[in-house]
Amino acid sequence: MSTDIQVSNKSTSVSPEEILCNVSKFIRGSTHEINIPGEELARASLFLLRTLPSSRQAILEYLCSVYDEAVNEHLSRQEMGVVAKGADERSMSPIINEIESLIIGFIRSQPDAWTPIISSWSIDLLGYISRKYSERRSMPHSSSLNELLFLWMTCSPTKSLIRITSECFACASGDFANRSVNALLEASVRHSPHFDWVVAHIGSCFPKTIISRVLLCGLKDYHQHLGGQLDGLPPPPHSSAGESKMSSVVQILSHMALQHARDVRQAMWELFQDSLGETVSEMQMSCPMYILHLSMMTNLLMQTAVDVFVDCVTFGDLEKLCSQFSQKKPSCAKDVNRCDWIIV
């Protein structure tokens, strides 16, 4: 991949001596061999990112620490009550803006080369930051998705990372678009529930793609951890079975349903229709119970599920569903009991 990345036109007028000088400054400064002001060191790293492709991995790793420091500064100011209007992390805001501008420029000029690299970097960094600072005094509880969204989107460094990530999704095409969504959801699983706000925000920018993927992720989790393991009753909303991520799925879908109810409904309907095919997997056959299970978690999802089942399901669909249940193994009795309990 690195061979596809070209240096910027600006680098053609840069002398080898200038590159060597900045390499020396970056190495000695980042290893604390000498004391170099943070802003000067960050600008040296951006110079190398622009002119020396072989330094990319080291520079991106260093930029993680720049964003980390900026987030810590923002939260510290907030906790001390000194984040007044216009006073947000002034010392690091200019360099964060420079980093964002440079990286977005790379993405737009060479999307096929830069998007996979930057997407992975920004998603991993957002996950790391969201988890690392989840216990800070100023941090809302992870179940308060809207509060977390507000806090992180008023923090300049994380807002910058969100803009970079959104740019990657906007420029992604073909198979990489699917891989980008998968990487986002995998990060959500690794950093759940602290990463839910990222998925919710990106989902608001690309609703149809994210909603269908989140629904499918939830179905897999439901089938693995909930389907067939419970004695006829759904678990309470905040319980978990094994490594179940259902709580995150519910929070994300509920947030999305506030502004994209039609897209959530359409995605549920398509998932349900896929479960009525001639040849379906055990996971697909658990889809009706999964949708009913979601409906028990929040009023928003209940209304969406009602719209799907009452307005869209036909007698023919019900006959197919009945036929599937009758052909399943005896273990489906638990699914039937759970289905009866929810409907009642």
Side-chain angles (χ1 to χ4, degrees), residues 193-294:
H194 314 298
F195 192 77
D196 293 351
W197 72 273
V198 178
V199 182
H201 182 83
I202 298 296
S204 296
C205 300
F206 309 94
K208 293 182 179 179
T209 301
I210 299 298
I211 289 170
S212 60
R213 291 284 181 170
V214 170
L215 264 175
L216 184 58
C217 178
L219 176 59
K220 292 177 180 178
D221 185 75
Y222 174 86
H223 179 71
Q224 180 179 357
H225 297 297
L226 299 179
Q229 288 192 13
L230 303 171
D231 295 327
L233 298 178
H238 301 296
S239 71
S240 62
E243 295 298 319
S244 175
K245 304 304 175 186
M246 191 60 62
S247 177
S248 293
V249 170
V250 168
Q251 281 209 72
I252 293 166
L253 290 177
S254 297
H255 176 81
M256 299 293 292
L258 288 172
Q259 295 181 326
H260 304 281
R262 181 176 297 178
D263 292 321
V264 175
R265 174 183 170 178
Q266 182 64 28
M268 277 190 179
W269 171 241
E270 290 173 356
L271 194 65
F272 175 74
Q273 283 293 298
D274 288 342
S275 72
L276 300 178
E278 293 296 327
T279 305
V280 294
S281 65
E282 284 286 324
M283 183 183 75
Q284 287 176 306
M285 291 175 73
S286 66
C287 178
M289 281 69 69
Y290 164 59
I291 294 177
L292 287 173
H293 178 79
L294 288 177

Side-chain angles (χ1 to χ4, degrees), residues 161-177:
L161 286 171
I162 282 289
R163 284 194 290 259
I164 290 172
T165 306
S166 297
E167 189 67 33
C168 289
F169 274 81
C171 292
S173 60
D175 184 54
F176 177 69

Side-chain angles (χ1 to χ4, degrees), residues 311-324:
D311 296 344
C312 302
V313 175
T314 66
F315 284 112
D317 294 330
L318 293 176
E319 288 177 353
K320 290 180 182 178
L321 195 59
C322 182
S323 176
Q324 283 184 355

Side-chain angles (χ1 to χ4, degrees), residues 319-332:
E319 288 177 353
K320 290 180 182 178
L321 195 59
C322 182
S323 176
Q324 283 184 355
F325 270 100
S326 65
Q327 295 171 14
K328 282 185 70 176
K329 297 177 182 179
S331 61
C332 76

Side-chain angles (χ1 to χ4, degrees), residues 25-27 29-30 36-46 62:
K25 181 186 294 184
F26 174 74
I27 293 175
S30 60
I36 297 178
E39 192 168 314
E40 183 180 342
L41 183 58
R43 289 201 167 92
S45 71
L46 294 183
Y62 167 73

